[in-house]
Amino acid sequence: MKAVTYRVLLAVYMSACCFACSQSAFYDQYQMVEGAWEKEKEFYFTYNIDDNSAHYNLYINVRNNNFYPYQNLWLFCTEEQPVGPIRRDTVECLLADDFGKWFGTGISIFHLTIPIRMGYAFPHKGQYTFCIRQGMRDSRLKGIEEIGLTIEKTD
């Protein structure tokens, strides 16, 4: 019983440390991929920009397990702005080296942060929606646990 309590307290402490270290994030959100990631499944992240004179760093976060069958992950990203056209981009995320060693941190689930825009100034104030869809050839992609978006204010 004491070993279980100790483990629970250790897990709570480690989680608190992780959250305390990530206070610089303006926006930090994850969504769970349940089962296989279907080709048509899109993940939406909605946030408000009140200061468009500031600069921001945007990151995509990928959490994968050992059952992910590839070295890379292609993502189709769409950003809806409050004013103006929709921005579309394709991002390649390298998840492992040539020998199959996973990048990022973790043991059985690996967390990798991929920078997509650094020092970016949003063109308008208002609500933005960032959409992520997998761009692999598989119609059902296994091994991706979570997908996330982090935005840090640099100014």
Side-chain angles (χ1 to χ4, degrees):
M1 181 71 173
K2 289 183 180 181
V4 172
T5 305
Y6 177 73
R7 288 182 186 155
V8 170
L9 289 175
L10 182 62
V12 169
Y13 175 75
M14 295 296 285
S15 297
C17 288
C18 289
F19 286 117
C21 295
S22 66
Q23 288 182 353
S24 66
F26 167 76
Y27 178 88
D28 192 28
Q29 199 68 236
Y30 290 84
Q31 293 186 32
M32 184 180 289
V33 178
E34 295 183 23
W37 190 353
E38 302 288 337
K39 191 94 168 155
E40 298 78 27
K41 174 69 176 162
E42 298 175 328
F43 293 96
Y44 293 94
F45 302 90
T46 301
Y47 49 93
N48 285 309
I49 298 297
D50 297 326
D51 183 6
N52 64 333
S53 64
H55 291 89
Y56 300 85
N57 295 332
L58 282 77
Y59 305 91
I60 291 177
N61 302 296
V62 177
R63 290 183 177 150
N64 66 287
N65 61 36
N66 282 322
F67 297 108
Y68 185 73
Y70 304 110
Q71 177 184 8
N72 65 348
L73 171 66
W74 285 97
L75 299 174
F76 298 136
C77 302
T78 306
E79 181 185 65
E80 292 182 39
Q81 303 177 19
V83 177
I86 293 176
R87 289 184 58 167
R88 298 182 196 283
D89 200 3
T90 303
V91 177
E92 180 184 19
C93 307
L94 288 176
L95 303 180
D97 65 16
D98 291 336
F99 302 102
K101 183 181 181 301
W102 298 112
F103 296 135
T105 58
I107 296 172
S108 62
I109 295 179
F110 300 90
H111 175 92
L112 183 64
T113 299
I114 298 104
I116 55 171
R117 292 187 196 146
M118 305 305 286
Y120 178 69
F122 286 95
H124 308 284
K125 293 181 181 181
Q127 181 175 300
Y128 286 76
T129 300
F130 198 87
C131 173
I132 301 174
R133 183 168 55 96
Q134 65 106 336
M136 302 297 283
R137 291 185 177 149
D138 295 7
S139 60
R140 300 189 72 227
L141 188 60
K142 295 179 182 177
I144 301 296
E145 297 282 334
E146 291 182 316
I147 197 79
L149 180 68
T150 300
I151 303 172
E152 295 175 342
K153 194 172 184 179
T154 61
D155 295 341

